[in-house]
Amino acid sequence: MTKLSSSILNSNFLDLRSTIEMLNESDTDYIHVDVMDGNYVPNLTIGPPIIENIKEISKKPLDVHLMIIDPDKHIDSYIKSGASILTVHYEACTHLNRTINYTKDRGVKAGVALNPHTPVGVLEEILPYTDLVLIMTVNPGFGGQEFINSSFNKIRKLKDLIIKHNYNTLIEIDGGADLSNAAELINAGVDIIVAGTAIFHSNDPLSVISSFKKIK
């Protein structure tokens, strides 16, 4: 069954405890935490101290997405802060195999993210070592952007590659997902849907989360 990772990027950070407590009682599978450094992407968000605070009260595993330059310098901090999944960008890593194996050796699932312009073929050598691939379906940096429709073909290509080699790699997508395109995403081969705006800009976040989980 496809899983849901609820992104807190567009939640109310002044009331973050209430947000996490709401997600604890929801059907979401993960809490998605976007880390942005203002360099790799044109936005700033949060770092390890806030993630540690979230971990203290979260009943859900933390799906931490690093949109930062030179992530190897900071991986230990984010593992220590409580990440269950730690995803780095292919475009930001010089020695991706080392980064993936380092993360997994510390008991954390390792993901690789691809920007919209990066073809899935670049991952062919790293897929055997990777727990998941996060396909950015918007340009990274801000929530609330429109879904890039060419992403469906990209998802299908990646799924074909995974099936061809009988890998266990999961496909996650991030950006522009809502209840109108979730079924098509699942049919294309997505295993984990990241949703933020669709949840937190609604009048009833719990209901939206429940609706996502009912889509097959």
Side-chain angles (χ1 to χ4, degrees):
M1 181 179 292
T2 303
K3 296 184 181 297
L4 179 68
S5 190
S6 296
S7 172
I8 60 172
L9 180 62
N10 281 340
S11 67
N12 182 357
F13 274 47
L14 288 179
D15 200 13
L16 192 54
R17 175 179 286 276
S18 294
T19 296
I20 303 306
E21 289 173 347
M22 181 274 291
L23 292 174
N24 283 342
E25 302 307 314
S26 76
D27 294 327
T28 196
D29 299 283
Y30 305 101
I31 295 176
H32 190 84
V33 183
D34 287 307
V35 176
M36 307 181 190
D37 64 0
N39 291 297
Y40 183 71
V41 292
N43 197 4
L44 287 166
T45 53
I46 62 177
I50 301 299
I51 296 174
E52 287 180 15
N53 292 155
I54 293 171
K55 181 65 176 178
E56 288 175 1
I57 61 173
S58 176
K59 297 178 183 178
K60 307 287 184 174
L62 301 186
D63 176 17
V64 178
H65 177 192
L66 299 184
M67 287 175 269
I68 63 177
I69 59 173
D70 205 0
D72 294 292
K73 291 182 178 179
H74 308 284
I75 282 178
D76 283 328
S77 296
Y78 286 101
I79 290 174
K80 184 179 178 182
S81 71
S84 294
I85 302 172
L86 192 62
T87 298
V88 299
H89 271 259
Y90 166 85
E91 302 87 356
C93 285
T94 304
H95 302 289
L96 186 56
N97 183 277
R98 180 188 299 162
T99 304
I100 292 297
N101 287 325
Y102 185 89
T103 301
K104 293 176 67 172
D105 286 346
R106 278 144 189 81
V108 174
K109 291 188 180 299
V112 177
L114 292 181
N115 284 333
H117 70 276
T118 306
V120 297
V122 300
L123 294 181
E124 190 160 5
E125 299 300 326
I126 197 67
L127 275 179
Y129 309 97
T130 306
D131 292 305
L132 67 87
V133 173
L134 172 57
I135 293 180
M136 292 301 303
T137 45
V138 299
N139 287 295
F142 298 94
Q145 298 183 68
E146 186 175 346
F147 182 90
I148 298 173
N149 281 316
S150 61
S151 301
F152 286 114
N153 287 332
K154 193 170 182 179
I155 294 163
R156 294 185 187 101
K157 287 179 181 178
L158 178 58
K159 192 68 172 183
D160 288 344
L161 192 59
I162 291 169
I163 292 172
K164 175 183 176 182
H165 295 286
N166 197 30
Y167 296 144
N168 295 317
T169 314
L170 300 178
I171 299 176
E172 183 175 29
I173 66 95
D174 185 359
D178 57 30
L179 295 175
S180 71
N181 59 18
E184 189 173 359
L185 288 166
I186 293 169
N187 289 334
V190 172
D191 301 293
I192 305 172
I193 294 175
V194 176
T197 301
I199 294 170
F200 291 105
H201 286 193
S202 73
N203 293 324
D204 190 349
L206 283 172
S207 176
V208 173
I209 290 171
S210 180
S211 295
F212 265 110
K213 291 293 295 177
K214 291 176 182 176
I215 297 173
K216 299 184 184 299

